[in-house]
Amino acid sequence: MDAPVLLGVSVDWPDVPPPLRVREAHRRAVNLEDPRGRRFSLVTDPRDLGPRTAWLSHLPELREGEPGPDLPRGEEGFRFDPRIRPGRPRPRWRPLWEEWPVFLEDPELRALGEALREEDPLALAGLGPGHTPAGDDWIAGWLVALGWIGSPESLRARGELGRRFDPGRTAWLAGEVIRDALEGLAWARPAALTAALEGEDGEAVLRAISAMTDWGHTSGRAWLAGFAGALGRFDATAPR
């Protein structure tokens, strides 16, 4: 098989990556770990770009525990910026996002709704199905919404949750996703969703929602429920 072609990177992909080791090898993504335990990823779909992620034409053959591949930097045609910039949804989309908490009525996700009776998002850490447990996907959606709203109240809530979050309560990858969200970083699908909700293009909104619901077995639906929960809690359509 030919060597993979580097098609794009996130803007925080370093010119000279640190020593990386394969932590997880999947069909569509390889997750690498640096000496500090931070995640770097290789993906084959630009919709799966996230912080510290490279988009390749195809994945190299790698096994868990092996050193990561050398990826020479060239003139990549695409650069993804994972930083969450403050914004607000258009009021016209409120009826859409107000429906997303209903995803927690799915039998696979019902435990999340029960845990939320404690009114503490961290009660969901490590809870539910999925490679990244669905409870952690909910937390990530909540955190991205807090950063996107960008109000003093929402940012204080994000900071308070960050002070209490213990990555040891959940799987390594889920903990890394939450750490990124706490640092104000998101993945390409959520970034497309927030951009669409800021605009007036109904087709773009529906495409972004569809991409989210197709994201993993339960990840996208749990993420949307958490995102909508924060929008409702912090009155996302109110003027700043």
Side-chain angles (χ1 to χ4, degrees):
M1 181 181 293
D2 294 337
V5 176
L6 185 60
L7 301 175
V9 293
S10 58
V11 297
D12 55 357
W13 185 272
D15 290 335
V16 181
L20 299 172
R21 188 163 296 277
V22 178
R23 178 71 183 250
E24 301 173 343
H26 305 286
R27 181 172 59 87
R28 291 175 47 181
V30 173
N31 294 317
L32 310 162
E33 186 176 19
D34 75 3
R36 301 176 302 146
R38 295 312 308 262
R39 175 209 52 80
F40 288 68
S41 293
L42 311 176
V43 301
T44 59
D45 186 334
R47 298 180 304 170
D48 293 330
L49 280 161
R52 303 179 307 284
T53 303
W55 170 29
L56 305 181
S57 58
H58 59 276
L59 294 176
E61 294 185 7
L62 295 169
R63 296 181 180 179
E64 294 180 13
E66 292 182 345
D70 291 328
L71 294 175
R73 292 292 298 272
E75 296 298 324
E76 303 86 27
F78 186 85
R79 291 175 67 81
F80 167 66
D81 189 344
R83 291 172 293 182
I84 303 167
R85 290 179 171 80
R88 294 281 172 128
R90 298 280 185 177
R92 66 178 297 189
W93 307 127
R94 177 184 285 272
L96 281 177
W97 56 258
E98 285 184 336
E99 293 181 357
W100 297 341
V102 78
F103 289 132
L104 299 188
E105 297 179 8
D106 186 301
E108 293 184 293
L109 300 177
R110 197 165 291 159
L112 277 60
E114 295 173 356
L116 281 171
R117 293 173 185 171
E118 299 182 22
E119 297 187 355
D120 180 4
L122 291 183
L124 276 65
L127 187 66
H131 181 61
T132 53
D136 299 283
D137 296 317
W138 190 101
I139 294 170
W142 174 274
L143 289 170
V144 169
L146 296 184
W148 182 46
I149 295 169
S151 68
E153 183 185 13
S154 69
L155 295 179
R156 280 195 301 271
R158 187 180 69 178
E160 191 274 334
L161 193 150
R163 287 187 290 273
R164 296 191 297 115
F165 175 62
D166 176 8
R169 292 182 57 184
T170 189
W172 169 76
L173 179 58
E176 282 295 287
V177 171
I178 290 174
R179 287 177 69 183
D180 283 332
L182 286 167
E183 294 170 6
L185 305 174
W187 296 67
R189 293 179 201 237
L193 176 67
T194 56
L197 291 174
E198 290 175 2
E200 296 286 351
D201 187 341
E203 291 187 4
V205 171
L206 293 178
R207 284 195 303 271
I209 296 171
S210 178
M212 289 299 305
T213 56
D214 289 343
W215 198 16
H217 180 58
T218 57
S219 290
R221 290 177 291 144
W223 193 100
L224 287 171
F227 182 78
L231 295 187
R233 176 74 174 271
F234 293 92
D235 196 9
T237 56
R240 284 196 177 88

